[in-house]
């Protein structure tokens, strides 16, 4: 499914080399809900960016659905992102000039779907997140929780195999965060693989498996047992 | 996707109205300044008879002073002497040949209340009208027999016909010119070639003469030349006859030669003619005869003033400055939108897709700039027209035709695209991950 072997990511400036990931190895099976935790600067988001093909890796191998990602050109990588991966960001990242319908429409446009197919998918995904009645609303007219739901609908509209979530509840209050996590759980129950970066251990307990990242590598840190304690 | 890009372009322009307006203004002002000068140059250098300009040749033979050329470095005179013009014309070795000179006549209208007035006339030969594709509203030119028999016939221009006959068909009417009656055989339709290619040694932006009459009639009637006359040695005593036998040049000659072979043969004929004249003591300079087609003749006469070329260079530089401003503005706009770009990359847009989106948006800005540029070009031309209103010919240079309108729009779009390339490349090079995470 998703497999990284000894992946390294180094950011270089003229004078400084920063190792964001070191010998990072991970395998995620289809249908899993994996949380990724770790201290700030540990490399969680770098891992997610590489997993989502938003950044190149410096060394190592990364296979997604059996394809070696490093061999793909920009067009192919964009196609993989569009068809197989859905993104959920902490800051929602909706386009403020577009209404809800058009925001969800963006990835479908790049997919090349015809208008009726796009409309069907947009309506279905907004229905799933409970915002079917807000098609014409602008992002600024929605609450934070609703905006994140729109972002989830946008991620789901293309029926991706993977959902990559970077602190999806980071900008939400507790009630809204619970509601979004419930929604992610529902989505995972339909077979979508979810990888969620979070620094909140309570949220990490909602996943099937937790990966703890420290200094750019998968570590033994507060693993599943500790999470169980947090949950308990 | 094109319609989608158009929609995104409109949204983007709406979202940044001030920045977009500045870009449209920068392109519009650059295009306006550039196209104002380009229009003038385009009209100045336009081919006035494109359908046969490569078949019409201005004839020059070097009858000038042995001590120095007519013009540096070794140009033969631009006109012919009476002796040479009439001899070459009489030989009839080209498909068509025309000799002519500018003169003037006093028109005496028929009505008792109408006052006589002086107007320019062109004394020419029968082939003039067919050779230069002159359009007729009524009647036609005269035939060769009229030249031979010195028949007093006249072809009048549209404006004169309007003035004298209210625009009615005046063919067959008699017209008194400087006291002599002429029968009108033809009335021209609208005809005003720019530049006046067949007589570039007088003002090349003048209108054609108001009337045309046979060369032989003008010679017999001793119509004086109203054009340039140059002599390299004094005229002997003897009045008009002595002037005609002199080495003074004052007559233009054109020959219609359909192909290279005909041109070569005619040049050979000219050389033979000059060799023959050398035997009687004329043509002291080495053989230096020329046949120049319409466009070559316009180049030789520098129909496009050098100042216009300098102005054109400055205008292009100004356009480049405006485009550099546009590059800066577009860069500012792109930098404001890195998050949008990154998001679209994350959602599946390839670099090529985003490039297309931004190029469409730049084209929209360019199109708007082009429309503004057309308006400013029109204003610029009106400004020049008013500033130089004392020169009649300026009116002919400040006309914007559809070719120039399309050229302005095309130049604006191309300019906008050129200006957009670097900012768009920068936009597509944005690393998505860096822009999407705010914690």
């Amino acid at each position: 499914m998703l497999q990284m072997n000894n992946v390294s990511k180094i950011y270089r400036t003229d004078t400084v080399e920063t190792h964001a990931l070191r010998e990072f190895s991970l395998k995620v099976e289809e249908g899993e809900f994996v949380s990724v935790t770790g201290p700030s600067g540990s490399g969680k988001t770098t891992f997610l960016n590489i997993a989502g093909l938003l950044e190149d890796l410096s060394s190592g191998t990364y296979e997604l659905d059996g394809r070696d990602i490093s061999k793909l050109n920009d067009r192919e990588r964009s196609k993989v992102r569009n068809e197989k991966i859905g993104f959920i960001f902490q800051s929602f990242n909706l386009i403020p000039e577009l209404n809800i319908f058009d925001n969800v429409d963006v990835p479908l446009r790049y997919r090349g779907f015809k208008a009726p197919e796009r409309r069907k998918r947009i309506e279905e995904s907004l229905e799933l997140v409970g915002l079917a009645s807000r098609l014409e609303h602008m992002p600024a007219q929605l609450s934070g929780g609703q905006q994140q739901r729109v972002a989830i609908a946008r991620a789901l509209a293309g029926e991706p195999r993977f959902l990559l979530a970077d602190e999806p509840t980071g900008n939400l209050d507790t009630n809204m965060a619970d509601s979004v996590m419930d929604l992610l759980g529902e989505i995972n129950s339909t077979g979508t693989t979810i990888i969620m970066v979070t620094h909140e251990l309570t949220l990490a307990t909602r996943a099937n498996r937790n990966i703890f990242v420290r200094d750019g590598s998968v570590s033994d840190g507060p693993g599943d047992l500790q999470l169980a304690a947090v949950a308990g | 996707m094109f319609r989608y890009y158009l929609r995104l372009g409109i949204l983007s322009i709406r979202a940044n109205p001030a920045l977009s307006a500045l870009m449209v203004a920068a392109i519009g002002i650059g295009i306006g300044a550039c196209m104002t000068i380009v229009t003038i140059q385009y009209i100045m250098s336009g081919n006035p008879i494109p359908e046969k300009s490569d078949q019409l040749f201005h004839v020059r033979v070097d009858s000038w002073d042995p001590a120095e050329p007519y013009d540096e470095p070794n140009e033969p005179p631009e006109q012919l002497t009476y002796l040479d013009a009439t001899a070459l014309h009489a030989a009839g070795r080209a498909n068509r040949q025309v000799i002519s000179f500018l003169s003037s006549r006093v028109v005496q209208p028929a009505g008792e209340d109408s006052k006589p007035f002086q107007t320019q006339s062109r004394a020419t030969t029968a082939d003039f009208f067919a050779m230069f594709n002159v359009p007729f509203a009524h009647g036609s030119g005269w035939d060769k027999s009229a030249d031979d028999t010195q028949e007093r016939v006249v072809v009048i221009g549209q404006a004169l016909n309007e003035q004298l006959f209210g625009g009615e068909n005046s063919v067959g009417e008699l017209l008194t010119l400087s006291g002599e009656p002429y029968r009108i055989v033809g009335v021209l339709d609208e005809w005003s070639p720019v530049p006046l290619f067949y007589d570039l040694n007088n003002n090349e932006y003048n209108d054609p003469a108001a009337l045309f009459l046979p060369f032989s009639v003008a010679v017999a009637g001793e119509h004086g030349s109203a054009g340039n006359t140059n002599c390299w040695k004094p005229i002997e005593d003897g009045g008009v006859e002595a002037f005609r036998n002199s080495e003074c040049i004052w007559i233009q000659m054109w020959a219609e030669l359909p192909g290279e072979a005909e041109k070569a043969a005619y040049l050979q004929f000219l050389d033979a003619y000059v060799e023959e004249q050398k035997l009687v003591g004329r043509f002291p300079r080495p053989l230096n005869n020329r046949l120049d087609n319409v466009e070559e003749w316009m180049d030789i006469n520098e129909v496009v003033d050098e100042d216009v070329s300098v102005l054109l260079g400055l205008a292009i530089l100004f356009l480049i400055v405006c485009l550099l401003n546009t590059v800066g503005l577009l860069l500012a706009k792109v930098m404001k939108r890195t998050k949008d770009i990154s998001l679209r990359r994350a959602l599946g847009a390839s670099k090529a897709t985003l490039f297309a989106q931004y190029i469409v948006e730049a084209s929209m800005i360019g199109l708007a700039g082009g429309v503004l540029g057309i308006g400013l070009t029109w204003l610029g031309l009106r400004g020049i027209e008013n500033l130089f209103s004392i020169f009649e010919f300026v009116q002919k240079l400040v006309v914007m035709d559809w070719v120039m309108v399309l050229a302005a729009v095309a130049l604006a779009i191309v300019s906008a695209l050129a200006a957009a390339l670097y900012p768009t490349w920068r936009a597509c090079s944005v690393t998505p991950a860096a822009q999407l995470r705010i914690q």
Side-chain angles (χ1 to χ4, degrees):
Chain A
M1 261 318 304
L2 182 157
Q3 186 160 6
M4 290 185 185
N5 288 321
N6 300 321
V7 168
S8 294
K9 177 67 184 177
I10 303 169
Y11 296 104
R12 288 190 173 89
T13 65
D14 290 343
T15 51
V16 182
E17 262 192 9
T18 308
H19 291 254
L21 291 184
R22 298 167 191 264
E23 306 294 315
F24 188 98
S25 296
L26 176 70
K27 187 173 184 182
V28 177
E29 297 292 346
E30 184 151 8
E32 274 195 283
F33 187 165
V34 176
S35 62
V36 180
T37 55
S40 291
S42 60
K44 306 187 296 288
T45 297
T46 303
F47 153 69
L48 205 67
N49 287 337
I50 290 173
L53 281 60
L54 296 176
E55 278 192 77
D56 293 328
L57 44 85
S58 303
S59 64
T61 60
Y62 171 27
E63 285 185 9
L64 192 70
D65 271 353
R67 290 182 81 181
D68 184 349
I69 295 304
S70 62
K71 291 195 167 67
L72 302 183
N73 62 27
D74 179 69
R75 193 179 57 81
E76 291 165 332
R77 290 164 74 93
S78 301
K79 193 166 165 17
V80 169
R81 268 201 303 270
N82 182 257
E83 292 178 3
K84 295 193 172 181
I85 302 171
F87 289 96
I88 303 169
F89 305 98
Q90 178 183 350
S91 53
F92 323 137
N93 283 332
L94 298 180
I95 299 173
E97 302 92 55
L98 300 181
N99 65 21
I100 303 313
F101 183 95
D102 289 332
N103 262 288
V104 180
D105 190 30
V106 172
L108 305 180
R109 290 273 185 176
Y110 297 128
R111 187 83 160 263
F113 287 135
K114 300 281 183 202
E117 174 71 12
R118 295 202 313 271
R119 173 163 283 280
K120 179 171 158 284
R121 283 172 178 259
I122 294 166
E123 286 173 352
E124 281 175 1
S125 58
L126 283 171
E127 179 77 43
L128 184 70
V129 299
L131 289 170
S133 60
R134 308 287 176 95
L135 293 177
E136 301 297 326
H137 282 60
M138 301 304 282
Q141 295 172 301
L142 302 181
S143 69
Q146 287 172 323
Q147 288 189 46
Q148 191 60 299
R149 283 169 175 272
V150 174
I152 293 170
R154 180 178 64 192
L156 292 177
E159 296 178 357
R161 304 267 296 281
F162 296 90
L163 207 53
L164 305 183
D166 189 3
E167 304 280 6
T169 59
N171 283 358
L172 303 178
D173 63 31
T174 313
N175 286 338
M176 283 183 181
D178 276 346
S179 146
V180 165
M181 289 308 298
D182 289 345
L183 184 56
L184 290 180
E186 282 173 35
I187 293 163
N188 175 244
S189 68
T190 62
T192 305
T193 307
I194 298 179
I195 301 173
M196 177 183 71
V197 164
T198 181
H199 64 272
E200 289 187 44
L201 295 180
T202 48
L203 293 181
T205 60
R206 309 280 287 260
N208 309 129
R209 177 157 72 108
N210 180 57
I211 307 294
F212 188 77
V213 180
R214 189 200 300 272
D215 297 332
S217 303
V218 176
S219 163
D220 291 336
D224 294 340
L225 280 176
Q226 224 169 325
L227 290 179
V230 173
Chain B
M1 285 299 271
F2 181 71
R3 278 172 60 192
Y4 183 57
Y5 295 152
L6 279 180
R7 197 166 145 240
L8 292 179
I10 291 167
L11 281 172
S12 165
I13 289 167
R14 270 199 205 152
N16 300 282
L19 214 50
S20 303
L22 275 175
M23 283 188 282
V24 169
I27 293 174
I29 291 169
I31 294 292
C34 199
M35 290 309 294
T36 301
I37 306 300
V38 168
T39 301
I40 289 174
Q41 210 225 16
Y42 164 76
I43 292 175
M44 276 183 155
S45 60
N47 187 338
I49 184 163
E51 66 277 16
K52 61 194 299 193
S53 61
D54 57 345
Q55 298 175 29
L56 302 180
F57 291 88
H58 184 262
V59 178
R60 287 187 290 169
V61 291
D62 200 343
S63 60
W64 206 245
D65 186 352
E68 56 181 351
Y70 177 79
D71 202 3
E72 296 294 345
N74 186 29
E75 290 294 310
E78 76 262 14
Q79 299 188 97
L80 303 182
T81 64
Y82 176 80
L83 289 174
D84 298 327
T86 51
L88 294 174
H89 181 260
R93 298 292 282 268
N95 280 30
R96 291 190 178 108
Q97 46 260 300
V98 159
I99 53 176
S100 74
F101 67 93
L102 192 65
S103 185
S104 69
R105 293 287 86 191
V106 174
V107 178
Q108 295 165 272
E112 286 182 5
D113 297 338
S114 306
K115 290 181 180 171
F117 58 91
Q118 189 164 24
T119 190
Q120 282 193 326
S121 61
R122 178 158 292 277
T124 187
T125 47
D127 280 346
F128 181 91
F129 306 99
M131 186 190 249
F132 296 134
N133 287 350
V134 182
F136 278 85
H138 307 293
S140 64
W142 58 85
D143 56 26
K144 285 189 171 64
S145 64
D147 281 338
D148 297 339
T149 58
Q150 298 174 14
E151 194 178 343
R152 284 215 185 93
V153 288
V154 66
V155 168
I156 63 173
Q158 190 185 44
L160 187 60
N161 187 56
E162 187 69 40
Q163 185 178 354
L164 298 177
F165 303 102
E168 296 295 313
N169 183 355
S170 58
V171 171
E173 301 281 346
L174 285 181
L175 180 62
T176 306
L177 299 174
S178 301
E180 294 168 334
Y182 286 76
R183 182 168 54 84
I184 297 172
V185 293
V187 176
L188 298 189
D189 208 340
E190 173 81 39
W191 186 57
S192 186
V194 180
L196 200 61
F197 62 96
Y198 57 82
D199 187 12
L200 294 181
N201 46 304
N202 292 300
N203 189 338
E204 62 266 43
Y205 298 108
N206 269 352
D207 282 327
L211 51 91
F212 299 80
L213 43 82
F215 185 91
S216 57
V217 172
V219 169
E222 297 185 359
H223 301 184
S225 170
N228 292 331
T229 301
N230 292 295
C231 311
W232 65 272
K233 66 179 185 183
I235 306 168
E236 291 171 12
D237 291 338
V240 173
E241 200 56 31
F243 175 69
R244 285 181 193 156
N245 289 326
S246 74
E247 292 296 342
C248 295
I249 53 161
W250 53 288
I251 297 168
Q252 301 105 45
M253 180 169 190
W254 286 82
E256 184 171 335
L257 305 164
E260 281 301 315
E262 286 86 349
K263 183 187 171 189
Y266 199 79
L267 205 51
Q268 213 169 10
F269 158 67
L270 291 179
D271 290 347
Y273 169 78
V274 171
E275 292 290 6
E276 192 183 285
Q277 291 297 306
K278 282 178 181 287
L279 295 177
V280 295
R282 296 186 62 224
F283 287 86
R285 293 181 62 76
L287 272 183
N288 184 23
N289 305 321
R290 308 279 179 93
L291 289 172
D292 302 296
N293 69 28
V294 173
E295 291 193 290
E296 290 165 345
W297 187 231
M298 282 165 55
D299 282 346
I300 290 166
N301 280 274
E302 295 174 351
V303 166
V304 180
D305 196 291
E306 204 174 311
D307 291 349
V308 176
S309 301
V310 172
L311 272 178
L312 182 63
L314 289 174
I316 289 170
L317 278 178
F318 184 66
L319 176 63
I320 290 170
V321 169
C322 289
L323 289 185
L324 288 175
N325 275 309
T326 308
V327 171
L329 292 165
L330 271 171
L331 263 178
K333 192 171 180 181
V334 162
M335 291 303 112
K336 272 178 74 177
R337 293 175 65 187
T338 49
K339 196 170 175 183
D340 178 273
I341 293 162
S342 302
L343 178 67
R344 288 180 182 279
R345 294 275 287 139
L347 297 179
S350 64
K351 287 182 182 177
T353 310
L354 279 176
F355 193 83
Q357 178 193 326
Y358 276 82
I359 285 295
V360 168
E361 188 179 329
S363 301
M364 293 169 73
I365 299 274
L367 187 66
V371 171
L372 177 66
I374 290 169
L376 293 176
T377 303
W378 186 85
L379 280 177
L381 293 174
R382 295 290 75 75
I384 290 174
E385 188 180 15
N386 288 329
L387 202 60
F388 300 102
S389 57
I390 53 165
F391 304 110
E392 265 185 43
F393 73 88
V394 169
Q395 306 260 349
K396 291 187 181 180
L397 303 180
V398 293
V399 182
M400 214 184 167
D401 63 11
W402 63 270
V403 176
M404 283 294 101
V405 170
L406 288 181
V409 173
L411 182 63
I413 292 177
V414 169
S415 303
L417 291 182
L421 281 180
Y422 176 65
T424 305
W425 174 78
R426 283 282 300 268
C428 295
S429 304
V430 165
T431 307
Q435 305 296 325
L436 293 173
R437 188 159 183 264
I438 300 170
Q439 285 198 342

